[in-house]
Amino acid sequence: MMAMIKINAKNITAEYYGVQFDYAPTEKIAVNAGYTALTGIEAASWETLGGYNDNSTSIWTVGGSYAFDSNVKLVGQYAENTDADAYEKAGIVEVQYKGTDVADASSWGAYAGYRHLGGNVAIAPTYNDAAANQKGYVVGASYVPAENILATIEYFDGKDMDTDTDASKFFANVDFFF
């Protein structure tokens, strides 16, 4: 099995092309689909990305959400890199409750879900709770103690797919908005 190196987007030199379609037929339902291509990936970058046989990636995504009511929403997203031989699939599913609004003191929200972030498709994920090439369960909550202050706490418990070892992460953050 090929080792997956943890990287971020600034380590990749390539041309980027993408398109995404979003559609919300009702207030309760939203769907999306997209395609992203990285072409002309420099050799050092594509070796870091998992040793592709050529210098491009083709990433397809599909997802959506369904709001059961004004407080509960089910969200899912799936992506696949059709050019990769390993760690080529990523997906998330979350149940979200309420939500925060930094202009509304004492608003809060929470979520619970599952993430599977194959490193060759979730190249530089922006989640605070899980990293590329990890899979597992996540929970989080956010609270607005005062206007323009957002406190967030998140926890991930799962596995590192490259090493098949346990992985966990606790994240806490306070943001101030001006």
Side-chain angles (χ1 to χ4, degrees), residues 33-164:
Y35 173 76
T36 301
L38 297 173
T39 62
I41 301 172
E42 291 183 351
S45 296
W46 57 264
E47 287 171 9
T48 300
L49 285 172
Y52 297 113
N53 295 326
D54 58 21
N55 64 347
S56 66
T57 66
S58 297
I59 299 172
W60 297 89
T61 62
V62 64
S65 66
Y66 179 77
F68 293 96
D69 58 30
S70 62
N71 290 324
V72 180
K73 183 189 287 187
L74 178 64
V75 177
Q77 193 75 25
Y78 175 80
E80 185 169 338
N81 181 345
T82 56
D83 288 340
D85 294 331
Y87 311 116
E88 73 276 15
K89 297 179 183 176
I92 66 109
V93 64
E94 285 182 7
V95 174
Q96 300 173 346
Y97 182 72
K98 290 195 171 194
T100 56
D101 178 353
V102 295
D104 182 12
S106 76
S107 66
W108 66 280
Y111 73 91
Y114 182 80
R115 303 206 196 298
H116 178 108
L117 303 175
N120 288 330
V121 66
I123 295 169
T126 58
Y127 296 111
N128 294 318
D129 48 29
N133 242 32
Q134 291 184 334
K135 64 180 178 179
Y137 298 95
V138 293
V139 294
S142 56
Y143 177 67
V144 179
E147 186 176 349
N148 296 327
I149 300 173
L150 176 66
T152 304
I153 188 168
E154 298 173 320
Y155 179 71
F156 167 80
D157 185 37
K159 289 222 176 250
D160 184 276
M161 292 187 285
D162 189 36
T163 62
D164 196 35

